Amino acid sequence: MPFALCAGLTVGLAACAADPDEGTNGVGRLSAPEIEGKARSVADTAKAVRLAGTLVSKGDTFKLNMQLKQDGATGSVTTKNSTFELLRVGEALYLKADADFWTHDSQGGDSPTDADAEAADKLDDMYVKVPQGDPAYKQLRGFTDMDLLLKGLIGLHGEQVKGDRDQIGGVRTIKVKGGPAGEGGTLDVALDGSPYPLRFARGGGAGVVVLSEWNTDFPLAAPSKEETLDYGKQLPRT
């Protein structure tokens, strides 16, 4: 009887065990580099994604919640001292923040004067167009660049090793680690549907980001003139 055979043979037990890759996209059967390659391939061809989580860079912590696509992005960035919104439509980049953001950003870090507070009130909750010649443009634009963020955030370092299986948002995943303990990062790749990267834990505790809403389009439009302030070649310095 099949049951007796399975019960009596170690090899038979393994053969009768449930296949963990049954009903999946099959990437769990691949080697770690192949899994990572599949994830990169589908990410590179994606039209849109939501990226949410934390990044630690040079001692600063950033909390991101961004919807990204090739021609722009929208979302928020939170730092130790403030939260601001970013909107990019093509190469036009807009920054939206409350008055506290602008007064805290006063030059030299001095306490804001009455004039600073008055100027900040005018900027409160308005979209301020970031001039491309302003030093802040390149840094802020980096938070809205889908290709740049994905390439920078899902890169594993060290020898790639297959890890455990998990679930993220109800989707089965398999982990690929950079190094045996994930010291070079840990990437969760979907086993259901396309093998999209769904979560990346950066090595050394440098943050964790969750990737969702792959290929889900969203509207992008420049703010109205009534909502926008344009300071020309440089952001206002309150």
Side-chain angles (χ1 to χ4, degrees):
M1 296 175 62
F3 177 77
L5 289 173
C6 283
L9 298 173
T10 303
V11 175
L13 282 171
C16 292
D19 180 0
D21 291 301
E22 184 178 355
T24 72
N25 55 27
V27 298
R29 300 186 178 99
L30 303 178
S31 68
E34 288 173 326
I35 297 171
E36 196 257 358
K38 290 280 189 181
R40 278 196 173 276
S41 179
V42 295
D44 287 344
T45 58
K47 303 299 183 183
V49 67
R50 178 183 289 274
L51 185 153
T54 57
L55 302 176
V56 181
S57 177
K58 298 178 181 178
D60 295 323
T61 299
F62 302 92
K63 184 177 180 180
L64 306 183
N65 187 357
M66 299 294 302
Q67 285 181 284
L68 305 153
K69 54 184 177 179
Q70 295 298 329
D71 59 347
T74 182
S76 64
V77 180
T78 299
T79 68
K80 178 181 178 181
N81 298 310
S82 59
T83 296
F84 55 89
E85 296 178 28
L86 291 173
L87 170 65
R88 182 171 64 83
V89 183
E91 294 306 308
L93 179 63
Y94 303 89
L95 169 65
K96 183 178 181 180
D98 61 19
D100 288 342
F101 171 88
W102 295 106
T103 53
H104 182 83
D105 197 47
S106 59
Q107 286 182 320
D110 298 328
S111 297
T113 64
D114 290 342
D116 291 335
E118 183 178 351
D121 285 340
K122 295 178 181 179
L123 301 172
D124 182 44
D125 213 29
M126 296 287 287
Y127 284 98
V128 178
K129 190 171 184 180
V130 183
Q132 293 190 30
D134 191 287
Y137 180 87
K138 183 177 181 181
Q139 178 184 4
L140 293 172
R141 191 190 186 287
F143 290 120
T144 70
D145 190 317
M146 179 175 169
D147 289 339
L148 181 65
L149 283 174
L150 291 180
K151 288 177 181 177
L153 292 180
I154 62 174
L156 294 166
H157 301 283
E159 182 181 358
Q160 295 173 9
V161 179
K162 287 172 70 171
D164 296 332
R165 292 161 189 264
D166 202 348
Q167 281 198 9
I168 297 175
V171 178
R172 291 174 292 179
T173 66
I174 186 165
K175 297 181 186 294
V176 181
K177 301 183 291 183
E183 57 269 29
T186 300
L187 180 66
D188 275 85
V189 178
L191 289 172
D192 298 323
S194 296
Y196 284 114
L198 299 186
R199 180 171 59 195
F200 185 67
R202 304 178 77 199
V208 178
V209 294
V210 174
L211 303 150
S212 62
E213 299 177 30
W214 285 100
N215 279 327
T216 301
D217 197 15
F218 57 92
L220 271 180
S224 68
K225 291 183 178 180
E226 292 75 19
E227 298 175 286
T228 308
L229 292 173
D230 190 340
Y231 277 79
K233 296 183 178 180
Q234 191 176 46
L235 281 178
R237 299 293 191 262
T238 58

